[in-house]
Amino acid sequence: MTITADHGYDDLPRLMSLMTGDEKHDFAATSTLDVLWVLYDRVLGVTPGRADSPDRDRFLLSKGHGPMAYYAVLAAKGFVPEEWLPGFGSYDSPLGHHPDRVLVPGAEIGSGSLGHGLPLAVGSALGLRAQGLTGPAVWVLIGDAELDEGSNHEAIAYAGAAGLDRLHTVVVDNASASHALPGGIAARFEAANWSTATVDGRDHAALYEAFTAPHPGRPHAVVARVEPKNAR
Amino acid sequence: METMRDRFGTVASRLLDEDPRVAVVLAEIGRDAFTDAARRHPDRLINVGIREQLLVGTAAGLSLTGMRPIVHTFAAFLVERPFEQVKLDLGHQDTGAVLVSAGASFDWPAGGQTHMSPGDVALLDTLDGWTVHVPGHPDEAETLLRHAVAAGDDKVYVRLSLQRNRLPLPVDGARFLTVREGRAGVVVAVGPMLDTVLTATEGLDVTVLYATTLRPFDTAALRRATEAAGTDVVLVEPYLAGTSTRAATEALADVPHRVLGLGVGRRELRRYGTLDEHLAAHGLDAPGLRERIGAFVGAGAVSA
């Protein structure tokens, strides 16, 4: 078993092509690809060698549907062996159609049921702060339709009011919600006292700038717009 | 008179002082008991507002970073409303918390069905790996809460109630206690049902076991008790009737046995009134228990 950690963005399509069997979530998988890459390549302070370090940055994939891009990035960065990818979804594989933190090195949470990641991220941010670990950032990735879940509304309202400034949410917006939020996604976060940015979810420079924008005293939400699910 | 919940506020506040791993997570309910603690530990006394899904999710997130969260609200809002959070955020994430409920099956009868939770333990029973404590006295509540918090990252449920026994017993967070010994059956009295069970079984030749830790179920104690008293077993639980019947039948799977599960009925009563009136309505007062226990072990004696 070899772990190669020096792959680049250009390797991701090949890594993703090793995984088959969840084609119905293909759109969900590719919508997150650039966001995940920019985060893991340039933003998150976490590596396979520091995957258990208390002061690592946390990335919580809440949108557990279509995790192929996630697994590809984890393989590219050396968290999981590339050899695991072809087994995707099989009985003996640690890589399911929804990720399991107990089975996947580097996965902070198991997800699939929508609306769990952001509340878990709120608790993680509170837990780090209570232990004096003010350095690590907590990131959670959710989908625009996932925002329909009431649990997310609970978390957004609380995190803004509590000023959890080490909490970051990236909403990958592929316009898949049947009843979109009036005024747009960012407005929902702004109303709850979050810092926000809305950017092209395929533009790495724009994503990086949005991800690293200062937001003192407030949690930060980045809405990453990608091509609409139904237009592809 | 001090309630289990009063004691919970005192002890959990002290645990915040004693153990930097402990955090208390609330959803408004119960916050008045933590006014001073909140001043001393603003980062570890967390009130998320009236948001019960977030309540449990936040606790799990705290646990993922190495904290030991104590989560408190009414049972209906702690176990039933955010049940998927209990199942996934704690179970599937393989992390833990101490859930401490109040309200029990009908602590506030005038509040009606919305604030009753006779099904909480049965619901948790669909999940793996939960320890369930049902204290019968404020002193026992303190002991069991301390056991729960000290139990690493375990998933522990502590069920507090206004129902209580007159005196505490030396519970240890694991085993059933033998309170009375007889030869014509075993009655397992759970938590606050003990005093009533002792009254109800006065003069009956039965063994009475006292159970305050129901999961894991003390299989060894039940089996030991049946060696002298026979395998007629009555469970008297202050929540949904039959909740522990499966545990008892598994304990006795290899021997002929009979189990009677007494507790709160499934049918919604749609009555207000008092706790005692509800106990009587479910046959959980002394006359109701005596009639059913007596008939059961009496029948056992005839057929033996």
Side-chain angles (χ1 to χ4, degrees):
Chain A
M1 198 85 75
T2 53
I3 294 193
T4 312
D6 56 357
H7 286 309
Y9 179 73
D10 293 341
D11 293 300
L12 297 179
R14 181 182 62 78
L15 293 170
M16 287 183 70
S17 74
L18 296 174
M19 290 169 273
T20 55
D22 188 26
E23 283 74 11
K24 89 175 165 135
H25 282 130
D26 188 39
F27 296 148
T30 55
S31 68
T32 59
L33 184 66
D34 296 276
V35 162
L36 287 165
W37 178 255
V38 173
L39 281 171
Y40 272 91
D41 195 48
R42 301 173 65 185
V43 177
L44 295 173
V46 62
T47 58
R50 294 182 60 225
D52 295 319
S53 169
D55 66 350
R56 71 187 184 278
D57 285 348
R58 267 69 165 180
F59 175 77
L60 282 59
L61 181 74
S62 187
K63 200 175 89 75
H65 301 264
M68 291 90 95
Y70 184 50
Y71 294 150
V73 169
L74 288 178
K77 289 296 177 187
F79 289 90
V80 303
E82 185 177 323
E83 287 86 341
W84 284 10
L85 301 180
F88 179 55
S90 67
Y91 188 76
D92 292 322
S93 174
L95 308 182
H97 292 189
H98 301 126
D100 183 339
R101 72 178 289 269
V102 173
L103 302 178
V104 184
E108 297 283 0
I109 61 168
S111 54
S113 180
L114 299 176
H116 290 262
L118 192 45
L120 288 166
V122 166
S124 297
L126 289 166
L128 293 169
R129 185 175 78 181
Q131 294 170 79
L133 296 165
T134 53
V138 178
W139 283 86
V140 58
L141 189 160
I142 64 181
D144 66 298
E146 184 180 2
L147 265 181
D148 292 352
E149 295 285 2
S151 54
N152 282 330
H153 291 248
E154 294 185 0
I156 291 166
Y158 171 76
L164 293 183
D165 55 9
R166 299 312 290 151
L167 178 66
H168 306 75
T169 300
V170 52
V171 184
V172 172
D173 178 11
N174 64 351
S176 58
S178 293
H179 306 285
L181 293 164
I185 292 168
R188 178 69 190 79
F189 285 89
E190 281 160 17
N193 192 39
W194 287 56
S195 155
T196 69
T198 300
V199 295
D200 177 351
R202 300 301 186 190
D203 182 335
H204 291 194
L207 284 169
Y208 179 76
E209 191 184 346
F211 289 159
T212 55
H215 49 93
R218 296 195 292 170
H220 185 50
V222 175
V223 180
R225 285 190 169 143
V226 298
E227 53 284 4
K229 179 182 179 183
N230 297 321
R232 291 178 80 247
Chain B
M1 201 189 321
E2 184 193 32
T3 65
M4 294 184 198
R5 201 169 169 219
D6 295 334
R7 184 71 67 88
F8 163 69
T10 313
V11 175
S13 294
R14 214 174 294 142
L15 286 166
L16 280 167
D17 297 335
E18 294 168 5
D19 185 350
R21 235 188 127 215
V22 167
V24 171
V25 195
L26 305 171
E28 296 296 353
I29 288 167
R31 67 177 190 175
D32 289 351
F34 293 97
T35 310
D36 292 338
R39 263 195 294 275
R40 288 196 302 277
H41 309 288
D43 283 349
R44 292 191 286 125
L45 194 292
I46 296 157
N47 175 11
V48 300
I50 308 172
R51 300 184 175 94
E52 285 83 11
Q53 296 182 70
L54 181 64
L55 175 76
V56 178
T58 292
L62 285 158
S63 186
L64 286 172
T65 68
M67 307 282 289
R68 184 62 168 156
I70 300 172
V71 193
H72 173 65
T73 186
F74 293 143
F77 313 141
L78 183 62
V79 176
E80 296 177 322
R81 185 182 205 129
F83 182 68
E84 197 197 53
Q85 275 73 17
V86 173
K87 170 189 156 195
L88 294 181
D89 297 356
L90 296 170
H92 181 53
Q93 306 304 336
D94 194 27
T95 191
V98 180
L99 306 187
V100 181
S101 72
S105 294
F106 31 63
D107 276 7
W108 183 27
Q113 180 75 8
T114 61
H115 285 62
M116 298 180 181
S117 187
D120 53 350
V121 178
L123 191 52
L124 275 181
D125 236 1
T126 65
L127 304 177
D128 180 43
W130 280 85
T131 298
V132 176
H133 296 308
V134 184
H137 185 279
D139 288 358
E140 296 169 4
E142 171 165 355
T143 299
L144 295 171
L145 176 65
R146 287 182 175 278
H147 275 290
V149 171
D153 287 318
D154 284 2
K155 295 176 278 289
V156 187
Y157 182 53
V158 185
R159 188 184 206 259
L160 307 182
S161 179
L162 292 175
Q163 281 180 259
R164 53 170 286 177
N165 305 312
R166 233 165 15 87
L167 298 171
L169 288 176
V171 301
D172 66 359
R175 286 185 291 276
F176 297 173
L177 301 174
T178 305
V179 179
R180 186 183 282 168
E181 292 190 274
R183 306 187 58 82
V186 179
V187 181
V188 180
V190 173
M193 297 311 305
L194 179 63
D195 281 359
T196 316
V197 166
L198 289 174
T199 305
T201 57
E202 196 66 51
L204 295 180
D205 188 21
V206 294
T207 289
V208 176
L209 298 180
Y210 181 47
T212 50
T213 297
L214 275 301
R215 303 291 182 278
F217 192 85
D218 190 351
T219 298
L222 181 62
R223 285 189 70 98
R224 217 165 30 241
T226 61
E227 284 165 15
T231 52
D232 283 353
V233 175
V234 184
L235 303 165
V236 183
E237 301 184 89
Y239 36 77
L240 199 62
T243 298
S244 293
T245 300
R246 178 178 61 86
T249 57
E250 283 178 6
L252 301 171
D254 61 338
V255 292
H257 64 272
R258 300 191 308 145
V259 177
L260 175 65
L262 302 180
V264 179
R266 266 196 165 69
R267 184 176 57 84
E268 187 180 335
L269 207 52
R270 294 190 194 277
R271 296 281 188 162
Y272 301 107
T274 66
L275 212 158
D276 285 343
E277 286 170 319
H278 280 250
L279 287 167
H282 291 283
L284 295 175
D285 59 350
L289 288 176
R290 184 172 184 90
E291 186 183 330
R292 291 191 288 173
I293 294 170
F296 185 75
V297 300
V302 167
S303 69

